[in-house]
Amino acid sequence: MLVKNTEAAAATLAQAAEQRQEPAWLVDQRVAALAAFSRSRFLRVQRFDYRDWNLFATPTLAYPVATTQTTVGAGSFVQRGTTVIQCELPQDLQDQGVILTDILTAIRTYPELVQPYLMQVIGAETNQLASYHLAYLNAGFFLYVPENVVISDPLTLQLIQDATQPTGLQTHGLIVAGENSQVALTQHLTTQGDLPGTVNQVVEIVAQENSQVTFAAVDELGAQTQVAFQRRANVAANAQVNWAIGLMNQGNTVGQCETDLIGDGAQSDAKVVAITNHDQREGINTKITNHGKHTVGNILQRGVLQGQSELIFNGIGDIIHGAAGAQAEQENRILMMDPGTHGDANPILLIDENDVLAGHAASVGQVDQRELYYLLSRGLDKQTAERLVIRGFLSAVLTAIPSLTVRQQLVQTIERNLRHD
């Protein structure tokens, strides 16, 4: 559903936000984002058209107002729909000033930490998905790690789409890592219920000088859910942001994972695994832009297609003029298991500087029959042999994921998807 009467919708939106006692600056940003919606374009995913999808669910801000209290415990955050089930941090991290809470509580309680960054990494006018997301933002998390704080154990985030209700989920993750800090997060997106719905997730990471952020995600949303995501990081001098993304959704998915290496010496690795089934359609951009000198960006994507599904991988390396000494490497590979599938692996290099190192590799193909024949000759049935070939194909990404827990979780999810009839 598109918002047709934006003036009336803006008045309704502002009234609902004020009734929820949201700060004036957020109300203003919501209304401005709704105005931007009508003049913004769709997120562009080359060779992938999703303009007929219903990604703009019936909008509402009619959900309970609650303030999350962070308790002492393992570093974890659980939210079902718009309701926080659990929010815990170890006492020593709370004593050091680490903040983990839901995004709307953070907006009310820590405006000095949220307002400078909210929708600044991904601007609300970037595309329609971003503007609609901010206008009707209704869930998500906020993490603040002060300078010089090192969090040794990964924090876990479990975000559950409540598909027993018709409300669309506009969930926002904002991560601010101070200078010389370190943190790793693992996010799991799932669905409970089977009503048709939408999920529009934005994740913004602000990695200040010399910080290190690892964001690992397993997306496992349901077949009746249409998914849009945008995850983007701004990386300062000598900082590092690494992504490890497992796209195991059962419904149609469009998204972009993007990193801006702004400061000199900034680095990023982006690793993406996707499996599609049935008539599912999925289009993904993974982009790293080298702004600073001697920045390093690496993209590794692997996808497996089954049934009559479609998967488009666009790997984009963009080296800006002045980024001397930058490195941009990417590898995009797709394995098609059935004759009715359609896959594209598109390497895109945009280079506006001479003193750089850049390269790419891409392939789209079927299972290597020699490998399959070897396994069959050892007594394995065809289904088991194909699963082993696929696991070997995906191992280049799986072994690069730093978190053992996420690796195991992703392997289990992959096994379930490969057994999906």
Side-chain angles (χ1 to χ4, degrees):
M1 187 198 95
L2 292 179
V3 179
K4 295 180 179 179
N5 188 341
T6 54
E7 185 174 337
T12 302
L13 175 64
Q15 183 180 18
E18 288 166 358
Q19 287 175 348
R20 293 174 49 78
Q21 298 182 330
E22 293 182 350
W25 64 266
L26 179 60
V27 178
D28 291 344
Q29 286 192 20
R30 286 188 185 275
V31 172
L34 185 60
F37 176 84
S38 60
R39 62 177 181 269
S40 299
R41 299 181 178 181
F42 273 69
L43 169 69
R44 184 176 182 233
V45 179
Q46 192 164 315
R47 301 185 185 181
F48 189 76
D49 187 1
Y50 63 97
R51 287 172 294 180
D52 60 341
W53 296 9
N54 181 24
L55 289 168
F56 306 108
T58 303
T60 179
L61 292 182
Y63 50 91
V65 178
T67 298
T68 298
Q69 300 296 326
T70 304
T71 59
V72 176
S76 63
F77 178 86
V78 182
Q79 187 173 44
R80 185 176 187 266
T82 61
T83 303
V84 176
I85 307 299
Q86 178 177 292
C87 184
E88 295 182 346
L89 267 181
Q91 187 64 57
D92 65 313
L93 294 183
Q94 295 188 45
D95 293 342
Q96 294 178 79
V98 176
I99 299 169
L100 176 63
T101 188
D102 78 276
I103 188 68
L104 294 171
T105 293
I107 286 169
R108 294 191 299 269
T109 310
Y110 308 104
E112 73 283 0
L113 296 177
V114 177
Q115 187 176 0
Y117 303 111
L118 182 68
M119 296 303 290
Q120 298 302 307
V121 179
I122 300 175
E125 296 195 10
T126 303
N127 52 64
Q128 282 193 335
L129 291 170
S131 56
Y132 189 89
H133 170 89
L134 176 56
Y136 295 104
L137 187 157
N138 60 4
F141 65 90
F142 172 69
L143 173 66
Y144 173 71
V145 185
E147 61 182 26
N148 301 315
V149 173
V150 176
I151 301 179
S152 302
D153 297 324
L155 305 177
T156 61
L157 313 166
Q158 186 173 359
L159 308 178
I160 305 165
Q161 177 209 9
D162 183 4
T164 65
Q165 305 293 328
T167 303
L169 187 63
Q170 315 291 322
T171 178
H172 192 101
L174 177 58
I175 301 161
V176 180
E179 295 182 4
N180 305 303
S181 65
Q182 294 182 28
V183 63
L185 305 93
T186 63
Q187 174 191 276
H188 193 195
L189 267 172
T190 58
T191 297
Q192 288 185 1
D194 55 9
L195 287 178
T198 62
V199 171
N200 182 345
Q201 187 191 40
V202 168
V203 173
E204 300 181 287
I205 299 177
V206 179
Q208 298 176 354
E209 289 190 14
N210 298 300
S211 63
Q212 295 182 25
V213 179
T214 298
F215 185 91
V218 179
D219 297 357
E220 201 175 355
L221 294 162
Q224 298 299 313
T225 301
Q226 296 200 95
V227 183
F229 70 84
Q230 296 177 81
R231 296 163 181 164
R232 187 170 183 175
N234 281 355
V235 188
N238 299 309
Q240 184 170 2
V241 171
N242 294 326
W243 306 90
I245 309 295
L247 299 173
M248 304 293 138
N249 299 321
Q250 296 178 42
N252 292 339
T253 302
V254 63
Q256 179 161 283
C257 181
E258 187 171 2
T259 310
D260 287 292
L261 302 175
I262 297 171
D264 294 350
Q267 299 182 44
S268 180
D269 282 351
K271 300 177 176 67
V272 180
V273 169
I275 295 180
T276 56
N277 286 293
H278 300 308
D279 59 353
Q280 182 182 3
R281 299 184 64 230
E282 192 160 304
I284 307 299
N285 290 337
T286 302
K287 180 178 182 181
I288 298 179
T289 303
N290 300 68
H291 297 268
K293 294 180 174 61
H294 304 290
T295 50
V296 179
N298 298 305
I299 296 170
L300 180 60
Q301 300 189 103
R302 294 284 172 99
V304 177
L305 289 78
Q306 302 177 104
Q308 296 187 352
S309 61
E310 176 185 10
L311 174 61
I312 307 297
F313 272 156
N314 294 315
I316 308 167
D318 190 0
I319 300 178
I320 302 299
H321 181 68
Q327 298 181 39
E329 297 285 346
Q330 61 173 284
E331 181 179 317
N332 311 282
R333 302 196 184 278
I334 285 178
L335 186 62
M336 298 188 295
M337 300 300 297
D338 296 309
T341 58
H342 173 70
D344 272 328
N346 306 312
I348 302 169
L349 287 176
L350 308 171
I351 302 173
D352 193 20
E353 180 60 49
N354 294 322
D355 182 20
V356 299
L357 179 62
H360 64 80
S363 67
V364 176
Q366 298 178 335
V367 172
D368 188 321
Q369 293 301 311
R370 291 172 299 178
E371 293 181 0
L372 194 60
Y373 176 78
Y374 175 82
L375 294 172
L376 292 173
S377 69
R378 295 301 184 271
L380 297 178
D381 61 82
K382 185 177 180 181
Q383 187 179 33
T384 302
E386 286 183 341
R387 286 210 306 272
L388 288 174
V389 170
I390 292 170
R391 288 187 63 173
F393 174 74
L394 299 177
S395 65
V397 176
L398 296 175
T399 56
I401 295 174
S403 168
L404 176 61
T405 301
V406 174
R407 280 203 307 273
Q408 292 174 338
Q409 185 181 59
L410 192 51
V411 168
Q412 291 170 2
T413 303
I414 288 170
E415 289 294 326
R416 286 198 300 272
N417 279 21
L418 293 179
R419 289 196 299 266
H420 198 63
D421 294 328

